Amino acid sequence: EKDSYKDKNATKYTKRSKQRIIEELNCEISYQYVGMAPEFGKTIIPTQSEFFILKASSFSPIVDGVTLDQIPLYKIPYTNHDGIGYDNINFWENNYNRIEGLWFNGSVAEKWMQNQLQNHKSSLNQQGIECAKKIEEVTKVPTYYFLFNYRAWGRKKDQARKCPNCGGDWFIEGSTFNHFYAFKCDNCHLISELSSNK
């Protein structure tokens, strides 16, 4: 956005670093907007959302639950425990991406990695669920946590899965492998995907 780099959207760390550059190099910092980065295409940032999804991503881990557009962190109030910044979300997302990368490589502790990604009680997912709760607290927007799903099951068995937390029905009828999510539990605020298209 044209105002993405303005101080109103900056964390204390960004402001501090910017001030150090200005003081130590005796210079001014200015920005020239040249447009959206090509990899984000025609990204639209929603101004209101029915619900959010927290899912690790290359752009932003917060996704609008209806349009699936990604929402930059600076669009929501700070979520860190000290009330400044988004360290809790950034730390979780860094952990998630590292574990997912190791799982994808498939050479080191693959079962442990997969358990961290798809077991809602794993330390990684508990960290993410706490972030989702904090996002909901500061935004007042229901926030669902995205649970990874990779199982060597057929489609029928996968669709029959129950919510891993409450055991309730959560499959969204008509969902396919190509949908962003196919499972949604409104009680537990968990969302997941189909594992197989077969």
Side-chain angles (χ1 to χ4, degrees):
E1 293 182 293
K2 290 182 180 180
D3 65 349
S4 295
Y5 290 108
K6 289 190 176 178
D7 282 349
K8 69 175 184 174
N9 295 321
T11 65
K12 65 178 181 180
Y13 309 110
T14 305
K15 291 175 187 173
R16 188 183 307 148
S17 297
K18 180 179 171 183
Q19 193 58 39
R20 282 188 63 195
I21 291 170
I22 291 170
E23 290 172 0
E24 293 185 20
L25 299 178
N26 192 26
C27 68
E28 291 295 322
I29 296 177
S30 63
Y31 303 99
Q32 181 179 359
Y33 182 78
V34 294
M36 185 75 71
E39 66 266 29
F40 302 134
K42 295 181 178 179
T43 298
I44 296 171
I45 300 171
T47 54
Q48 286 187 321
S49 296
E50 186 179 316
F51 67 97
F52 294 143
I53 300 169
L54 181 65
K55 183 182 189 299
S57 171
S58 59
F59 174 31
S60 171
I62 301 177
V63 177
D64 181 277
V66 177
T67 67
L68 306 181
D69 291 310
Q70 293 174 308
I71 301 166
L73 290 179
Y74 66 77
K75 288 295 191 181
I76 68 168
Y78 293 139
T79 58
N80 207 34
H81 67 279
D82 61 4
I84 301 174
Y86 308 98
D87 284 351
N88 57 337
I89 297 174
N90 292 328
F91 293 159
W92 160 78
E93 188 172 28
N94 286 339
N95 289 340
Y96 192 100
N97 288 333
R98 288 180 177 118
I99 288 173
E100 185 180 42
L102 287 171
W103 171 81
F104 189 75
N105 287 340
S107 58
V108 179
E110 185 176 359
K111 285 185 179 179
W112 183 87
M113 302 292 174
Q114 186 170 339
N115 184 63
Q116 284 295 305
L117 293 167
Q118 72 184 22
N119 182 344
H120 73 290
K121 291 185 176 180
S122 73
S123 54
L124 175 67
N125 285 329
Q126 284 300 305
Q127 183 185 19
I129 288 168
E130 287 305 310
C131 289
K133 288 178 180 176
K134 187 65 178 178
I135 293 167
E136 183 165 333
E137 178 187 322
V138 301
T139 64
K140 309 301 183 215
V141 175
T143 304
Y144 291 69
Y145 182 73
F146 190 96
L147 270 181
F148 177 88
N149 178 29
Y150 185 84
R151 293 173 170 87
W153 292 353
R155 183 171 48 193
K156 285 186 179 179
K157 186 175 180 181
D158 198 16
Q159 289 176 350
R161 283 192 308 131
K162 304 295 184 183
C163 171
N165 190 57
C166 71
D169 292 330
W170 67 329
F171 179 66
I172 302 167
E173 289 299 327
S175 298
T176 70
F177 180 70
N178 295 320
H179 284 92
F180 186 82
Y181 59 90
F183 300 91
K184 181 173 182 265
C185 180
D186 293 323
N187 292 325
C188 305
H189 283 198
L190 293 174
I191 268 178
S192 191
E193 61 195 332
L194 278 168
S195 176
S196 174
N197 62 352
K198 297 179 181 179

